[in-house]
Amino acid sequence: EVQLVESGGGVVRPGGSLRLSCAASGFTFHDYGMTWVRQVPGKGLEWVSAINWNGGSPGYAESVKGRFTISRDNAKNSLYLQMNSLRAEDTALYHCVRGGGYNHLDCWGQGTLVTVSS
Amino acid sequence: DIQMTQSPSTLSASVGDRVTITCRASQTINTWLAWYQQKPAKAPQLLIYKASNLEGGVPSRFSGSGSGTEFTLTISSLQPDDFATYYCQRYNSYPWTFGQGTKVEIK
């Protein structure tokens, strides 16, 4: 069974940093691109970032470009999102999702909540 | 960036109704479009990929069509389990974008 389990969320002050992690299991991790999608509770979905199978060609939403960095460790079956210079508008549930490049998002984690507040 | 516009934002329908949701892209995206269903407090689930391909395990009452800039998701006979919010999403090039969502409510 495919599983994606996010961790690392929490409460952080504006301007602070957080690193989200996603532990993948149940599939050959290095065969897939991976993506982060966020959702403010009660609102729509927002694509944040994606990375291809070997860690190359990352993409970022304009709203996070220059502040967030996506990375992966295929030896550890893990995906990461380093979030710096956090703003109140980054407050959301962050989902780790299988898929990237020209591949649709076919498996979603339950998400980790990030709250940016003073 | 290519924007995705879904319509309607909310749809009221009854069990057994045929339901159609539309998604329009501001530029052509070929068939690089997916549809997702999300229920309250749950992660989204993939329904349709590459505009018209049904994901495994998804009931055949769901179908997708379109190419270029206009796409539709159709539920042929709405079931109680289908009351949810539906999103389209393009994945032809970064940055990817989602539509704003269509909430299907009980009439």
Side-chain angles (χ1 to χ4, degrees):
Chain A
E1 180 195 2
V2 173
Q3 281 201 314
L4 297 167
V5 180
E6 303 92 339
S7 60
V11 180
V12 61
R13 294 187 184 279
S17 297
L18 275 179
R19 189 194 196 207
L20 305 184
S21 299
C22 171
S25 60
F27 65 102
T28 305
F29 184 68
H30 63 245
D31 280 348
Y32 290 85
M34 297 294 295
T35 293
W36 289 98
V37 173
R38 68 185 181 185
Q39 185 172 33
V40 175
K43 303 296 184 183
L45 301 169
E46 182 186 10
W47 178 81
V48 174
S49 182
I51 192 167
N52 71 5
W53 66 274
N54 65 359
S57 303
Y60 298 95
E62 280 299 320
S63 58
V64 307
K65 198 175 287 186
R67 301 187 299 122
F68 289 13
T69 302
I70 191 171
S71 63
R72 64 190 294 161
D73 185 337
N74 286 343
K76 295 182 177 179
N77 289 345
S78 293
L79 176 72
Y80 306 102
L81 186 68
Q82 177 66 44
M83 305 187 296
N84 299 330
S85 303
L86 283 161
R87 305 167 180 167
E89 55 265 36
D90 296 318
T91 294
L93 185 67
Y94 284 73
H95 294 278
C96 167
V97 196
R98 189 173 77 172
Y102 283 98
N103 291 302
H104 45 275
L105 303 174
D106 65 351
C107 295
W108 295 63
Q110 291 304 308
T112 186
L113 184 62
V114 172
T115 303
V116 184
S117 173
S118 54
Chain B
D1 294 350
I2 302 173
Q3 303 304 313
M4 306 301 293
T5 303
Q6 266 181 257
S7 60
S9 297
T10 307
L11 187 160
S12 296
S14 302
V15 172
D17 284 353
R18 182 181 181 86
V19 166
T20 299
I21 299 168
T22 297
C23 183
R24 288 187 175 89
S26 59
Q27 299 174 40
T28 183
I29 59 170
N30 197 340
T31 55
W32 298 108
L33 186 100
W35 291 96
Y36 303 89
Q37 177 194 67
Q38 187 177 32
K39 296 179 181 177
K42 296 288 187 183
Q45 288 194 305
L46 176 68
L47 297 174
I48 301 285
Y49 62 94
K50 209 70 166 42
S52 61
N53 292 273
L54 193 67
E55 173 71 346
V58 174
S60 59
R61 62 181 180 273
F62 290 93
S63 64
S65 64
S67 67
T69 62
E70 187 145 342
F71 303 86
T72 57
L73 173 70
T74 299
I75 308 172
S76 60
S77 177
L78 198 65
Q79 298 303 301
D81 192 48
D82 302 338
F83 291 96
T85 300
Y86 295 83
Y87 295 92
C88 65
Q89 179 238 338
R90 67 168 188 88
Y91 52 106
N92 60 311
S93 62
Y94 296 149
W96 290 356
T97 41
F98 288 90
Q100 76 275 22
T102 296
K103 185 175 183 179
V104 177
E105 297 180 328
I106 301 173
K107 191 172 185 179

